[in-house]
Amino acid sequence: MYGKAFAPEYQDELGSALGVNSSYEEVLATAGLARSRASGPLERARAALAVAEANRRLGRVADAGDAWRESYRSARTAGDAGAMAWALWSGGTLARQCGTLPLARRLLTHAVTLAATSGDRLAHGYSLAGLAETGRIQGDYAAVAELHEQLLEQGRAHGEARHMVWAMSGIAQMHRNTGEYAKALELFEESVRIATEADDARGRAWSLRGVADVLSVQGEPDRALELLSEAEVICRAMDLASALAYNHKMRGNVLYRAGRYAAARDTYLVALREFRAMHEPRGTALSRLGLTKSRARLGRDLRETLDELGELERDFTRIGLRHARDAVIAFRDEESATSAPAGPAPCCDATTHRSAAVPATS
């Protein structure tokens, strides 16, 4: 059994005023007021943490960066290792969102250490979850599969729905990316169930996106689009800017797989604008890949397609997204093979040198 989902990043009085389903504009207003009224560095650290998380979820990355650093400095002044761990968790999560994965790993690793020192079990679990998510995004499945399983066991042991949803959906994504679709679908659907029963709207939205992805791969685009529409309602209600952009990117994927290339192109353009507005390079590059593939299917010049695929391969290599880089290479090979001539063109040039072109006669 799992209890109702809660948000431990909202601490002290903020924990009473805000919940896991509070809109991020509400979080920002409430936490900003608490920060202005803070009577000491620890209160200021906790309020700034909530400000950082609200700004991050709203896609305001510069403000989020300022706020998590303020939270860390205030926590360090207070000498509270647990609060320092939470601030570094926020900073590491922001770094991952911005595509700076090596920095995300460093910050989250330090957060794990500080959380263990302080005895803050929740900060420790969230920081480990952040490390697992970062490794999964990079495609380093061997390194993080065991960590995901550990998080799953922790979630079960303590009845924490959000941990269960994070860990289960992460494991499901790895199964999906390695072609184990039945197992991935089972885990994503279980994640939806847990999030729903725990009243975790955000977790439900992310999990629905995973179910839609697998159903699309299995040839059920209309059902997938229905689930994405359901998730979009949640994202809009909670001001989940990043989740909404990823929802739109997934809608583009579903339309592309269904052969609806013009609709896919238009949807990828929406996602691309959203990711660029948030300065989120991972989502930007993934949307560009979908857009490039859609335009290619709609008859775009091959040279332009290959040039853009080359740029995207460099972007994915720089960010560290192995699975996405492999997708670029596979599509480039597919396009090159499709456009290649079946055999050598016949030689019709009468001036060709005899020794190179004329066979011996019998």
Side-chain angles (χ1 to χ4, degrees), residues 28-47:
L28 194 58
T30 304
L33 182 60
R35 182 172 60 175
S36 69
R37 294 176 174 176
S39 60
L42 187 55
E43 284 186 22
R44 190 160 50 251
R46 289 168 172 167

Side-chain angles (χ1 to χ4, degrees), residues 11-12 26 58 71 90-91 150 162 190 205 274 293 309 320 341 348 354:
Q11 299 166 5
D12 283 353
E26 178 189 357
L58 290 165
S71 179
S90 180
Q150 289 176 14
R162 281 182 83 191
E190 178 68 3
E274 292 170 332
K293 292 170 68 175
L309 289 173
C348 298
R354 287 181 58 85

Side-chain angles (χ1 to χ4, degrees), residues 22-70:
S22 297
S23 78
Y24 287 103
E25 291 291 0
E26 178 189 357
V27 173
L28 194 58
T30 304
L33 182 60
R35 182 172 60 175
S36 69
R37 294 176 174 176
S39 60
L42 187 55
E43 284 186 22
R44 190 160 50 251
R46 289 168 172 167
L49 172 67
V51 170
E53 282 302 289
N55 277 309
R56 182 179 69 80
R57 295 288 184 178
L58 290 165
R60 302 167 188 170
V61 295
D63 291 338
D66 291 341
W68 84 256
R69 291 183 180 89
E70 178 188 346

Side-chain angles (χ1 to χ4, degrees), residues 6-222:
F6 64 100
E9 63 268 36
Y10 308 147
Q11 299 166 5
D12 283 353
E13 293 182 4
L14 290 174
S16 301
L18 301 168
V20 68
N21 295 327
S22 297
S23 78
Y24 287 103
E25 291 291 0
E26 178 189 357
V27 173
L28 194 58
T30 304
L33 182 60
R35 182 172 60 175
S36 69
R37 294 176 174 176
S39 60
L42 187 55
E43 284 186 22
R44 190 160 50 251
R46 289 168 172 167
L49 172 67
V51 170
E53 282 302 289
N55 277 309
R56 182 179 69 80
R57 295 288 184 178
L58 290 165
R60 302 167 188 170
V61 295
D63 291 338
D66 291 341
W68 84 256
R69 291 183 180 89
E70 178 188 346
S71 179
Y72 180 79
R73 288 192 299 268
S74 297
R76 186 174 58 190
T77 299
D80 191 301
M84 292 166 66
W86 277 112
L88 289 176
W89 164 78
S90 180
T93 306
L94 177 65
R96 183 177 68 240
Q97 180 173 315
C98 292
T100 316
L101 300 185
L103 175 60
R105 279 184 177 271
R106 289 199 300 274
L107 292 175
L108 290 164
T109 299
H110 287 311
V112 168
T113 301
L114 283 168
T117 300
S118 72
D120 190 324
R121 182 181 62 79
L122 286 169
H124 187 260
Y126 273 55
S127 300
L128 282 177
L131 275 176
E133 176 74 0
T134 303
R136 184 189 62 74
I137 287 172
Q138 289 181 296
D140 195 3
Y141 299 157
V144 300
E146 183 178 348
L147 184 51
H148 276 86
E149 294 289 351
Q150 289 176 14
L151 291 166
L152 205 60
E153 288 305 312
Q154 287 182 17
R156 289 192 178 113
H158 297 285
E160 292 169 354
R162 281 182 83 191
H163 259 317
M164 285 297 295
V165 169
W166 281 357
M168 192 170 287
S169 59
I171 294 169
Q173 190 65 45
M174 288 189 284
H175 283 300
R176 179 258 180 269
N177 287 348
T178 54
E180 301 172 41
Y181 300 128
K183 184 63 176 177
L185 184 60
E186 176 188 340
L187 290 171
F188 275 130
E189 289 180 334
E190 178 68 3
S191 184
V192 170
R193 185 189 66 78
I194 292 172
T196 302
E197 292 179 357
D199 194 26
D200 177 7
R202 183 173 60 194
R204 177 176 170 79
W206 279 103
S207 301
L208 284 172
R209 187 171 65 90
V211 174
D213 183 25
V214 179
L215 289 178
S216 168
V217 171
Q218 293 181 326
E220 298 186 51
D222 292 335

